[in-house]
Structure formats: C-alpha cells, structure tokens
Amino acid sequence: MTAHVRPSILASRSMRQDWTVLTRKHGSERSLRTVGHSRPPGTSRPASDHNATATTMLRVATSPHSARLLTSRAHRCRFRYSTEALEQPPPAGGHLPSVANSSILRTSRDSALRAPGLKFADDEPNSLAGRETRRMNLYQAVRDAMSIALAKDDTAVVFGEDVAFGGVFRCTMGLAEEFGRERVFNTPLSEQGIAGFGIGLAAMGQTAIAEIQFADYIYPAFDQLVNEAAKFRYRSGGQFNAGGLTVRTPTMSVGHGGLYHSQSPEGYFMGAAGLKIVIPRSPIQAKGLLLASIRDPNPIIFMEPKILYRSSVEHVPTSDYTLPLSILEPVLPQTNSDITVLSWGTPVYTCETAAHMLAGPPEGLEGIVPKSVRGAKVEVLDLRTVLPWDIEGVLERVGKSGRLVVVHEAGVTGGVGAEIAATVQRELFLKLKAPVRRVGSWDTPSGLNFEKFILPDAVRVLDAIIETLTF
Amino acid sequence: MFRPLTRSLPRRLLSARRYIFVSTPEIPTERHGHLPSSHSLITPTLSFFNSVTGGGTQIPTYRVLDGAGNIIEGAEVPELDRDLARRIYENMVLLPTMDNLLYNLQRQGKISFYVSAYGEEATIIGTAAGLAPDDENAAQYRELGVILYRGWGLKATMNQCFGNYEDAATKGKQMPIHWGSPEYHFHTISSPLATQIPQAAGVAYALQRDPERRGRNCAAVYFGDGAASEGDFHAGMLFASTLPSPTLFIARNNGFAISTPASEQYYGDGIAARGPGYGMDTIRVDGNDVLAVLAATREARRRCIESGRGVLLEAMTYRVGHHSTSDDSFAYRPRQEVEDRKRIDNPVARFRLFLHARGWWSDEEELALKERLKEEVLTEFRKAEQLKRHELKELFTDVYAGELPYNLKEQRKELGRLLRKYGDAWEPWREELKKYKDGGKSVMDIEDK
C-alpha cells in the first residue's frame, strides 16, 4: 500500500520543473530565479512591484474609500510587469500573482513579525525589538519547528519512513545528527505501524511527531487514526489520550504526481471527531501551526502542501512561536466585501490569482469577464484548520458578503466544501445572495496527463466568482 | 543501535541460531563463501524450507505440570512460595466466578454484553503473575484477570460493566469488558482487533526513553490467534524487533476466532513460527499450565528488558466458553468437544492438584474460597446495579481536550432544546432519562445564549 515510486525522484523532479524559487539578497532587493526552462537561472528583476502590491492590499484593507483606486493601481503595476516579462520566456504562472510573487507571502522582517495571531513562546509576547527572522521555504520552516520542538521537549521524537537521512522532502534535514538517532529515526515501511507506534508513545505522555511520506499513503493508518487516536480520550473517560501525537504528511498536487502523489484526503477525516486537521499555506504558517499542533493536547494530522515546500518563501521568525488552531485568517481581507472565497493550502494562491484576474482580466479573458464585476471586492480566507473548522469566522465573514465560493483540491463530492456549504446555508439562509459554490477537483482520481483539467485552475475559480457575483 | 543483532554475534552463536531457523538437514559449508553484507552462506543445493523446525515436527510446547498436576520429568518448578501460589490460584478461581455471574446478568438483560475467559485462566493469570505490577499492559478483551490480579477490584469491574456514574474507566462510553486504568498500567481496551499491538511497541519505546523506567519495565501486549492475522500484528512485531522497544507479545492461541478454527486462520505452525521471521526470541507454552506460563513469562520479560526488543510467547489453550454473549459456539463445534476439554485439560483443576500435593491448599479452603468470592461478586454486582449513569453532559466530554468546538457546543444545545421539548412527552426518552444521575438536566439546562 505504499509508494512504489520512491519520492526522492519526485522531490528532485519537482525542483527541476517550472517552480519558481525566490532568492532574496538583502533588504528590499529581490531576485527571482526560475529553475528550469521557463526562465534563465539568475535572471533578476526588482521586487518593488511585489511590495507595492502587498502595501496596496494592506491599504485596501484599512481604507475602504480608496480601495478601488489602489486596486487598479496595483494592476497597472502588474501589467507593466508582464510587458517586461514578455521579452523573456513567459514566467511559470503566467502574468499573474503565483506562489512566486504572491502578496500573501510576508517577505520582510517587519511583516513576518506582524503576522496576525503570532504568539511568541517567551515572556515578552508583544515585544518585536531584537526579534530575528530568516528567509525560509516551507520545508525549512517545518524543519525549524521540529528542531525547536525537539530542543524544548526531551520526550519528543520524530520518526517515519526515511526521516533519518533528512526525509524525501528534506523536512528533517540534520535533525538526526543534531538530536541523535534515538530521537529521530527511520521506521519499517508500514503506515499502520507508524500511526500505532505514535499512539503508543503519546499514550505514555510523550510527544510523537510521525511522518507519513505522502498523504496518499495515510489510508493504511486510517483505522489507527480514526478508531484509535481520535477516540482514545473519549473511550477511556479521559484517563488515557493520544494528544501527544502529530502526524505530518505532504499533501495536494505537485503537477505530475498522478494518482498517488497528489491527493488531498482531509475530507475523509471530517467525521473523525477527536482528531484535528491542520493545513498551512506558507512557511510562517507552517512553523507556527506545526508548533501549535505538536503542543496541542489532541492528536493532529498536519498536512503540508508539497508543491509549496520549495516554492513558497517567507521571512520566518527564528524564535519559538505558535499560531492559533481552528481560527481562519483573511489573507486578502476586505471591508464590505462582495464575495468571500475560502480555501486552504495550495489553492489559496489560486484564489489570489483569480481575484486579480477578476479585477484586471489578462489578455484573452477581457471579453469574457464582465466589466460590471471587475470592481467587486473579493475577500480571500485561509481556513488553516479543517477540523474542527472555524465556523464562527466563516459565518461572520460570509454574513457580511452574502456570497461564498469554497475552493479545495479534493474532489467535490463528500469534500470539506460540502460540510462548509451545508453549515453556511443553514446558518445564513436569509443573508445569502447566491448559492454557495464549490470548486474542487472533478470526482475522478488524479489522472496524470489530465491534472491541468482536474485541479481547480485559477480560471475555474474566476468563473465561479463571476457566476456567484452575477447570480 | 539499529544494526541487526546477527552482525555482532560470534559465529558459534550464529550457527546455533541457524539450527533454529533452517529446517533443511544439510547446513551448507563455507566452501562457496557467503553473500556480501550478509551471513547467508552460498549453497549449490536446491532446497526449500518451511516453518522453523525440521522433519515435519512443530515447535515444541513448554510444560511444567502434567494434566494431573505432577511435575513432568526434566521440568523445573519456577520460584514460587505458598503465598504467591495461593494468590495465583485464588485469582484463577475468581475468573469463572465472575464469568458465571456476569454471563447470566447479560442473559437477563442487566448488562448489554460480556466476554468470558473460561479455559484461559492459566494463560491470563500466569502471565499476569510473571509481569511486574507496573509493566504497561495493552490487552485485547479476554484479559480481565490481568487487571484483577493487579488489584483493580470487583467494584470497578462491575461499575464498568454497568457503565454507572462510578465507572471511571470509560464513563459508560464503551461496551462492557473494555476496562482500563492508568493506575494499574492497563491501557483502556478497544474493540478493533490488534490495534493495540503496534501501540504496545510505541509504549515500549517510550519506556525505553524514560530514564526512570528504562531497563525496569516492558510493555506486555495480549491478542488472540485470530487478531494475529491483522496487519497490525505484522506492524507491531516488525516495529518491536526493529526499533528498541521491549515489548512482550502474548498470543492466546485458543483455537478459535469466533467461529473460525485456527486451521482456517493460518497454514503455518501457529503464531510462534512467525517470531523467528522477525528475528524475535520466541517460545510456545502450554497455556493451561500456569507454572509453565509463569516461568515462560518471567524469562520472556527478562529477555525483553535485557535486549530492549520484542519477545513472542504463544500460549496454547482452548476457548471453553462461547466467543461472547452474542455467540452460540455449538453452532460450529460439537458440545462434546468442549465438555471433553473441560474435563481432560482444566487449567484450574490442574493447578489445584499441584497445590494439594504441596499441602498449600485443602478442600475446606476450596469451599470457603468459592463461597467468599461468590459473595463478594454478588455484593459488588448489587451495588453497581443500583447506581445511575453519569450525567448526560458526559456524552460530549473528552471528544477533544480543551474547549468544546463550535459544532459540539451547538449540538449539545440542540439536544438540550429537544430534551426540553420532547423529554417528557416522548415516552422512550422519558424512560431513558431516568437512568442518568442528573435525569438529563446537565444538557437540558444549557440555554441558547
């Protein structure tokens, strides 16, 4: 039941593909290096543009009156960008914001330290003076979180298939050397064994950080996670618990993962009361949410969008901090928004792209996107915790906008979107101005050659936004 | 730490191990050398092997007492004084006493379910006596005797079976027989078979990492011959042999998994034959001979802790009772077979004969014990039966640690609303609510805010 295609191949291949990797030199200067065919390595361009977008978004959030003007200015900037880009081979994500240049990512020390909800573990939670940040991609942030967890908690151990040499996605690089093989070790190739073993450690009050190599291979552990870990506390009347267990697993599509290196199985766990499911969208999020997950007194499945391991880069505070679970974060906040777009993990960026496409349709789509909706204020939310999800947060936001589009990579039928849509229609029946729209993969397996047309592409999100706005 | 054990063993020991592993009579010579990075010798002979012993025989069964309670030739009685012997025996007798009453209570509909341990008294009490009282224990469900031997008590047992408000083990959330107690190092039982096996390996790894308990404790895990067919058995054995996890695997091979005889459960030589495949020290023991079980458990435990790895003990026994109260075993096995086994190979009678021969037990004491145990069991049953259930709000507790999530808060509120509306008017609910300590008030009182 386990990967016949060993993922080290995949990991390196995904690196060589057209994912853009950002490297930052110092201060505000920023270079964009595209690994692969899409852009010659080392090609750099100023990043003032990106910062402008970020600033714009911030202002949009705080100043409703100037929002429209600023948004259009942001788009002018982007178009200048794209004209410039036309002289080069086209960038990977087209001319729109993608993971490589997303305004969602916090690429300065100051913005990193001011990430909402961020809580430092030491005694001076509010003091930002002297705090350091370091540029990290998502796998480095995950590694950093585990390093802190291991350093601060002697009972913590990290284990799974191939974690000792650093992991097939590099998330455990150097941890075995730093903390010893007793604390960071390989297990036999058995997912049910990994989950069961972790539950046993947790039942003894220790901290178990297990890795399932791909979320696609979590099913052999389904029984241990759903029947055992989730119900451990309840069934023993609170006498025993598996709260010390955190299962990390790479999830979501990677462009060429086919059926078994692409899945988003979070929906299968929606009925597993007692478990928590957490999915970060970026390095800052990954570190803060993972540390919070490791320390939460409940068993948690922490799903890391594998396509973001290298492609998402942020400044990440180097010290110990957490981000709250079961609280969503508006990543593109709006006051008086016209529509709410809710997602988690990788598609958060797709939603951001779609929002930009709506305001300033790229070439070819100009005739298709009605002018009447281009000025709509699109609010993008990152759910972050899928179980138990932030119902209050969603209801509050959708209660204001009256329109909701839920976007996830998993298939639509039985997906998390179904749960959210049902709750929203029940609670907000009179406030809804349009049906809740779900955008996900089709209800097919993730056929290798068909991924572009299976996964929720930005244009599909755009279409759903338009349809919902014009309903 | 993770290097295979064989690499560090002297050659003499290795050849001794080889005798255990290989059933072919011809042991290849060194003439052709061996495989790189392995001790596997090259042989020009095309031969296969099966199971773990040669000549078509099975793995032997270790025994100390014969059916009449006499010490068999060549056997040594494990270290045992009068007090320990009597404690073991009294606990063995307690099991059928408890089983008789609780089985009948289920038949009368007073409890919903029960699983007896008839025929397995020696396996259960013998292993319990061979473990340290603070060895961690992960059981399947037929091991009530282990937690009773540790002193959990009849009162707690009855409370759990009735799920009354004094049941701390499950707060009435699990079916009867799903006991557990951190105080007695007995992890709460769950119904899914074999899930406890890899968990036990994790528990053992935790023991190994705990400076207070390293080298002092092991994790004992019980399971039946049927559960050993689950993938989790494989995972648990594999993890405990590969990672330093002092786990004592105790297989109760009682010949049946509900209706499925062992012959339809596996084709190899029982469960014991699998141990060597995992590189695990293994023993098969007569599960109806409490002294053999005791001696084997003590030695298995010693090896487990000393090597820091898993050890497998297969106890051969017979499930005299039905699988559970939901099963009529005469639908798939002849009544006479069961009666014969009870008469010819009774673990309690066998040990009683041994005690008599030593002068450690008398017929008068036997009568008195049976009277006393029956009285105690009945007293605790009557008390437990009277008590109501936990407060209804417990339905929602312990799903998560910390604050109740939004959906559960809403659902609790919703149940409260429904109970206020229908709790009195709808007869099935009215009757049911009377069984709770609070009559359901703890949920009904939650108003919309």
Side-chain angles (χ1 to χ4, degrees):
Chain A
M1 291 247 251
T2 295
H4 293 294
V5 183
R6 283 288 101 189
S8 51
I9 305 161
L10 261 163
S12 55
R13 196 194 294 166
S14 67
M15 229 187 340
R16 275 185 275 110
Q17 290 257 332
D18 51 5
W19 312 118
T20 53
V21 177
L22 293 169
T23 50
R24 193 178 177 83
K25 283 171 184 168
H26 39 81
S28 60
E29 197 200 341
R30 176 179 190 167
S31 69
L32 183 118
R33 181 165 60 86
T34 313
V35 183
H37 59 268
S38 55
R39 198 175 177 82
T43 311
S44 65
R45 58 184 178 193
S48 51
D49 210 48
H50 167 268
N51 288 342
T53 314
T55 320
T56 306
M57 298 322 296
L58 197 70
R59 269 191 243 146
V60 168
T62 50
S63 162
H65 305 295
S66 57
R68 197 150 301 172
L69 174 71
L70 287 164
T71 314
S72 60
R73 252 174 59 193
H75 287 123
R76 278 206 299 282
C77 292
R78 211 181 54 252
F79 278 92
R80 177 173 57 76
Y81 223 45
S82 57
T83 314
E84 177 192 288
L86 280 175
E87 292 152 22
Q88 307 279 345
H95 307 303
L96 293 156
S98 65
V99 181
N101 56 357
S102 165
S103 71
I104 291 170
L105 293 164
R106 295 172 177 265
T107 51
S108 72
R109 174 187 173 276
D110 196 53
S111 65
L113 292 174
R114 290 177 197 286
L118 189 147
K119 189 164 173 267
F120 288 101
D122 54 35
D123 297 334
E124 298 171 79
N126 298 320
S127 165
L128 299 183
R131 299 267 182 209
E132 283 181 18
T133 61
R134 203 171 66 230
R135 273 189 75 257
M136 290 182 203
N137 61 27
L138 197 142
Y139 84 68
Q140 290 162 333
V142 167
R143 189 230 173 261
D144 195 41
M146 283 192 281
S147 173
I148 289 171
L150 285 162
K152 290 203 168 176
D153 174 1
D154 285 340
T155 73
V157 291
V158 170
F159 56 94
E161 294 158 16
D162 305 300
V163 302
F165 88 109
V168 297
F169 287 112
R170 300 290 176 265
C171 293
T172 50
M173 279 286 270
L175 292 180
E177 288 76 10
E178 194 177 340
F179 296 97
R181 287 292 285 264
E182 186 194 292
R183 300 190 63 194
V184 182
F185 52 92
N186 292 335
T187 65
L189 209 159
S190 165
E191 285 76 16
Q192 64 199 95
I194 292 169
F197 189 82
I199 292 168
L201 279 162
M204 296 297 288
Q206 302 196 356
T207 303
I209 308 168
E211 179 180 305
I212 299 292
Q213 207 160 66
F214 285 83
D216 311 62
Y217 305 120
I218 206 164
Y219 309 118
F222 199 74
D223 183 42
Q224 285 285 353
L225 294 169
V226 174
N227 269 332
E228 295 290 316
K231 299 169 175 53
F232 222 79
R233 185 185 300 274
Y234 189 78
R235 74 186 190 199
S236 66
Q239 290 194 118
F240 288 94
N241 70 81
L245 175 67
T246 305
V247 177
R248 294 177 39 247
T249 185
T251 189
M252 299 190 180
S253 65
V254 70
H256 51 272
L259 273 63
Y260 306 110
H261 302 84
S262 307
Q263 295 182 42
S264 301
E266 65 268 19
Y268 293 122
F269 293 97
M270 281 309 271
L275 281 184
K276 293 189 177 181
I277 311 291
V278 180
I279 307 178
R281 67 165 188 276
S282 75
I284 293 177
Q285 298 293 313
K287 180 177 171 180
L289 292 172
L290 181 54
L291 278 168
S293 298
I294 290 168
R295 291 161 185 170
D296 189 89
N298 295 287
I300 290 184
I301 302 176
F302 190 82
M303 296 182 173
E304 299 158 6
K306 66 180 96 64
I307 204 169
L308 304 177
Y309 272 141
R310 291 165 191 275
S311 62
S312 67
V313 180
E314 280 183 324
H315 262 248
V316 178
T318 51
S319 50
D320 184 350
Y321 70 91
T322 56
L323 289 164
L325 303 182
S326 290
I327 306 261
L328 64 75
E329 187 192 344
V331 287
L332 296 184
Q334 304 272 10
T335 43
N336 305 321
S337 59
D338 298 307
I339 186 165
T340 304
V341 181
L342 175 67
S343 194
W344 50 93
T346 314
V348 169
Y349 300 95
T350 313
C351 297
E352 182 199 17
T353 308
H356 281 259
M357 284 162 74
L358 181 80
E363 236 175 286
L365 295 183
E366 285 145 331
I368 303 176
V369 179
K371 291 214 164 59
S372 58
V373 296
R374 293 187 192 181
K377 286 197 278 179
V378 182
E379 173 179 62
V380 178
L381 311 179
D382 178 5
L383 190 61
R384 300 198 288 191
T385 302
V386 164
L387 182 75
W389 58 287
D390 183 2
I391 300 179
E392 281 168 300
V394 170
L395 295 181
E396 188 199 324
R397 296 276 168 172
V398 181
K400 286 175 186 161
S401 67
R403 295 182 183 91
L404 174 64
V405 176
V406 185
V407 184
H408 55 62
E409 283 200 6
V412 170
T413 300
V416 177
E419 181 59 43
I420 294 170
T423 305
V424 166
Q425 73 82 17
R426 194 194 99 131
E427 299 291 332
L428 299 174
F429 187 68
L430 294 177
K431 289 184 178 169
L432 287 177
K433 297 168 188 154
V436 176
R437 186 69 178 242
R438 291 180 283 157
V439 182
S441 287
W442 311 120
D443 295 326
T444 67
S446 180
L448 180 68
N449 287 348
F450 310 102
E451 281 189 25
K452 187 67 183 161
F453 293 104
I454 292 175
L455 290 161
D457 184 80
V459 83
R460 282 184 56 203
V461 179
L462 171 70
D463 183 71
I465 292 173
I466 295 170
E467 299 249 311
T468 305
L469 284 168
T470 56
F471 179 79
Chain B
M1 179 159 73
F2 291 80
R3 220 165 36 162
L5 195 61
T6 47
R7 282 191 206 162
S8 57
L9 282 176
R11 190 153 295 275
R12 189 174 46 80
L13 273 177
L14 275 172
S15 59
R17 284 168 66 89
R18 196 175 305 123
Y19 176 73
I20 302 168
F21 280 101
V22 181
S23 63
T24 49
E26 300 121 295
I27 301 208
T29 61
E30 287 253 32
R31 197 149 61 98
H32 302 287
H34 55 78
L35 288 176
S37 63
S38 154
H39 288 285
S40 174
L41 295 176
I42 307 286
T43 175
T45 311
L46 174 70
S47 74
F48 294 82
F49 63 94
N50 194 348
S51 201
V52 287
T53 55
T57 58
Q58 296 187 330
I59 296 168
T61 303
Y62 168 65
R63 175 183 274 188
V64 174
L65 294 180
D66 66 15
N70 300 313
I71 298 152
I72 68 168
E73 198 188 324
E76 253 181 68
V77 174
E79 201 183 305
L80 179 84
D81 61 17
R82 183 177 176 272
D83 286 349
L84 178 61
R86 288 168 66 101
R87 182 178 170 200
I88 288 172
Y89 183 71
E90 290 182 10
N91 274 279
M92 284 172 75
V93 176
L94 172 60
L95 292 188
T97 315
M98 199 83 171
D99 286 350
N100 282 339
L101 178 77
L102 286 163
Y103 186 86
N104 288 324
L105 288 180
Q106 196 281 334
R107 282 289 171 254
Q108 295 162 24
K110 295 200 170 179
I111 60 172
S112 57
F113 181 73
Y114 191 67
V115 163
S116 65
Y118 294 117
E120 299 181 48
E121 295 88 352
T123 298
I124 293 161
I125 303 301
T127 49
L131 296 169
D134 61 344
D135 283 340
E136 296 297 323
N137 204 307
Q140 181 167 305
Y141 50 58
R142 218 179 286 284
E143 299 87 357
L144 168 62
V146 177
I147 190 169
L148 285 181
Y149 187 87
R150 290 179 175 200
W152 193 50
L154 301 181
K155 189 188 176 77
T157 309
M158 290 293 176
N159 288 339
Q160 198 280 327
C161 283
F162 282 96
N164 64 34
Y165 69 80
E166 291 209 339
D167 167 33
T170 61
K171 290 188 175 172
K173 289 170 180 179
Q174 282 211 78
M175 287 166 80
I177 70 140
H178 292 61
W179 356 88
S181 163
E183 190 188 343
Y184 295 99
H185 303 276
F186 195 97
H187 295 239
T188 305
I189 287 167
S190 70
S191 307
L193 285 182
T195 47
Q196 77 279 15
I197 303 176
Q199 290 173 13
V203 167
Y205 196 87
L207 287 173
Q208 191 80 344
R209 292 216 61 232
D210 183 345
E212 304 269 298
R213 304 183 71 181
R214 181 187 304 138
R216 275 196 44 230
N217 284 122
C218 71
V221 54
Y222 289 82
F223 50 90
D225 49 287
S229 299
E230 293 284 358
D232 275 337
F233 166 80
H234 166 66
M237 292 284 283
L238 192 57
F239 275 56
S241 64
T242 310
L243 301 164
S245 316
T247 318
L248 175 46
F249 294 83
I250 301 170
R252 294 179 294 96
N253 191 337
N254 63 17
F256 290 95
I258 306 188
S259 75
T260 306
S263 61
E264 290 169 26
Q265 200 65 245
Y266 52 73
Y267 185 67
D269 184 7
I271 313 303
R274 301 177 200 173
Y278 293 100
M280 201 178 270
D281 287 356
T282 301
I283 189 166
R284 172 174 287 156
V285 60
D286 180 350
N288 286 3
D289 172 0
V290 75
L291 292 185
V293 174
L294 175 67
T297 307
R298 280 179 180 163
E299 175 58 14
R301 179 179 185 276
R302 191 193 65 76
R303 283 169 183 251
C304 205
I305 291 173
E306 195 176 283
S307 67
R309 279 168 201 277
V311 174
L312 172 63
L313 184 158
E314 181 185 28
M316 307 305 286
T317 178
Y318 186 82
R319 199 195 75 211
V320 171
H322 301 299
H323 163 72
S324 73
T325 48
S326 310
D327 172 51
D328 172 18
S329 69
F330 301 130
Y332 50 80
R333 61 179 186 182
R335 191 180 287 265
Q336 196 54 43
E337 176 189 314
V338 179
E339 290 306 319
D340 288 350
R341 286 300 293 254
K342 263 159 76 176
R343 202 179 60 252
I344 299 164
D345 193 13
N346 185 314
V348 183
R350 212 203 266 198
F351 191 48
R352 184 167 63 239
L353 290 169
F354 169 83
L355 294 178
H356 273 291
R358 291 252 154 154
W360 286 353
W361 196 250
S362 66
D363 290 339
E364 296 75 48
E365 283 176 300
E366 177 74 11
L367 265 173
L369 174 69
K370 284 194 167 158
E371 276 306 304
R372 176 168 67 80
L373 291 180
K374 211 173 152 186
E375 189 52 44
E376 280 174 21
V377 168
L378 272 170
T379 309
E380 293 304 339
F381 147 64
R382 291 199 187 100
K383 280 194 227 160
E385 187 192 31
Q386 315 261 314
L387 300 181
K388 295 200 167 181
R389 296 173 178 176
H390 281 270
E391 295 185 336
L392 187 59
K393 70 175 182 193
E394 289 292 342
L395 185 166
F396 293 98
T397 59
D398 294 322
V399 178
Y400 288 98
E403 208 195 332
L404 219 53
Y406 182 89
N407 56 327
L408 285 176
K409 272 190 212 157
E410 286 296 305
Q411 290 164 16
R412 192 176 60 181
K413 212 154 71 180
E414 174 77 354
L415 178 60
R417 181 185 73 78
L418 289 164
L419 289 176
R420 287 196 298 276
K421 191 169 171 186
Y422 300 102
D424 204 36
W426 174 235
E427 194 262 338
W429 281 15
R430 189 173 61 235
E431 290 309 306
E432 192 72 1
L433 284 173
K434 289 177 189 162
K435 297 176 186 170
Y436 296 87
K437 196 179 168 187
D438 60 341
K441 283 186 103 34
S442 58
V443 174
M444 276 188 264
D445 287 352
I446 296 165
E447 296 280 347
D448 288 290
K449 275 164 202 163

